[in-house]
Amino acid sequence: MSHVLVTGATGYVGGRVVPQLLNAGHDVTVFVRSPWKIRDVPWRPRVRVIVGDLDDAQATREAVTGIDVALYLVHSMTAGGDFAAAEAHAAATFADSAAAAGVTRIVYLGGLHPQTTSLSKHLASRVAVGNIFLTSPVPTIALQAGIIIGSGSASFEMIRHLTEVLPYMPAPRWVRNRVQPIAIRDVLRYLVAAVALPDELNRTFDIGGPDVLRYGQMMNGYALEAGLPQRPIAALPVFTPWLASQWVNVVTPVPRQIAVPIIASLQHDCIVTESDIERYIPPPQEGLLSYRTAVNLALIREAGGMVETSWQSATVNGAPSDPLPTDPEWSGRTVFTDVRTRESTASSPAVWQVIESIGGHNGWYSFPLAWAARGAIDRLAGGVGMRRGRRHPERVNAGDVIDVWRVESVERGRMLRLRAEMRMPGRGWLELSVESTADGSRYRQRAVYFPRGLAGRLYWLVLYPFHGIIFGGMAVSIVRAAENPAQTPSG
């Protein structure tokens, strides 16, 4: 048994490997910047939580104290800024702190890549981070994984939506490139097993599934598992990576900031060039999962509402990670609010059920055209748009995504607070709550907006005439839906 530190525990892979490590008997500490994102996950009571940034040497030293093995599962998925320098600085800070604390092993998850100097910026940054760890005093296992396939992964969502939306698929030339996808459960198995590898090992290992496919074959493999006709695919030379990311931004719910690094990594063949990992971590008796089996399992888990983590949890657009500043009256800030209260004959649990299931396929109970238009504008501006949906149709946890909102706080049965992640000149929240009364319940809805500069104030004033329709209609329809559960949401 080892004491294991996991960075990136609020992410897609990190959030899934933590319970696997716990089940394997390890003590687990997680190092997170936004602890509220894991407040409601089932494994939270079983781990120690250290709060801080990876580029903060003091916080990092605290996180690695007493740790045997550290899993470094952090990677920037944003397209702007000098992310490569920031990632290198964070990795160097972490490696120095780990060495000083006597950590015996770092396990890093990177990406498969060809031996070329023309790697994309994001893939080159991942290679650079791996090299920082491999040249540090701490022995490192750098697992270089192919495209990860599983319920909730961004790569899986790109494949799904490109395949489902387009009966005929004009596509970039990279659809002909060879890739070696790997199922998320095999990635997790490698990560957990790497904790116990011999101390003297300090090297990279390529990991991929049993299938080497062209990207176009992956899309049609998805079609077969989803019961769809195979799609004719035409590779067009005019699709540059930039144009392709705009195309993905329009056709799929994956925003441009996440699509760019994924697409950029597909410009070359990315396949396993050595299988040395099998000498240390043998494949299971039944073998690694095939691509189509991984797709099938992902579809089954989604149908059963069992998506533990999702690409949706990735922070994009530089959305603030800090929660709504505490009342009263936000310490002299300029703040705009829209408050609606409705009495209802429905019980408090009935109203809460409607509140907790808002968004996604259920809609927003008001003026659907306005919500759709706002989402489309956000996508055109490079934002997340309205198509991220939600992880589970009826239940939400802190840190979950609901369309253009992030669940900031949940007080089950009483209050749901959402933070806006759409592009706008300011910061916004939407709070939905319910309390019991003698005659039923009282529903309260509060929109809070902190404008940024003159543009932020004009933004609120321009939209103000629509608030009565949007927010007022939402309050009326939510109460009505609670009183009449058979009612269809209106937005």
Side-chain angles (χ1 to χ4, degrees), residues 144-178:
Q144 300 179 150
I147 293 173
I148 298 176
I149 302 298
S151 55
S153 81
S155 298
F156 178 71
E157 289 302 319
M158 276 182 54
I159 293 166
R160 179 224 298 275
H161 286 275
L162 286 171
T163 306
E164 290 186 347
V165 172
L166 302 175
Y168 171 78
M169 201 173 306
R173 284 176 295 182
W174 47 257
V175 296
R176 294 177 177 169
N177 291 345
R178 294 183 304 158

Side-chain angles (χ1 to χ4, degrees), residues 206-241:
D206 289 355
I207 59 172
D211 301 317
V212 176
L213 304 167
R214 299 190 186 279
Y215 199 82
Q217 291 176 311
M218 289 178 62
M219 289 189 277
N220 275 321
Y222 172 86
L224 290 172
E225 290 302 318
L228 301 170
Q230 294 196 57
R231 305 317 201 202
I233 299 173
L236 305 178
V238 296
F239 265 108
T240 65

Side-chain angles (χ1 to χ4, degrees), residues 418-441:
L418 308 173
R419 189 186 67 235
E421 291 195 331
M422 65 193 82
R423 284 188 178 273
M424 58 183 177
R427 300 162 60 195
W429 291 261
L430 180 62
E431 189 175 271
L432 315 176
S433 61
V434 63
E435 61 181 1
S436 296
T437 64
D439 298 321
S441 60

Side-chain angles (χ1 to χ4, degrees), residues 180 203 205-206 272-281:
Q180 196 159 349
R203 57 162 296 179
F205 287 103
D206 289 355
V272 170
T273 58
E274 49 83 11
S275 300
D276 295 351
I277 191 68
E278 294 181 1
R279 302 207 318 257
Y280 301 95
I281 306 176

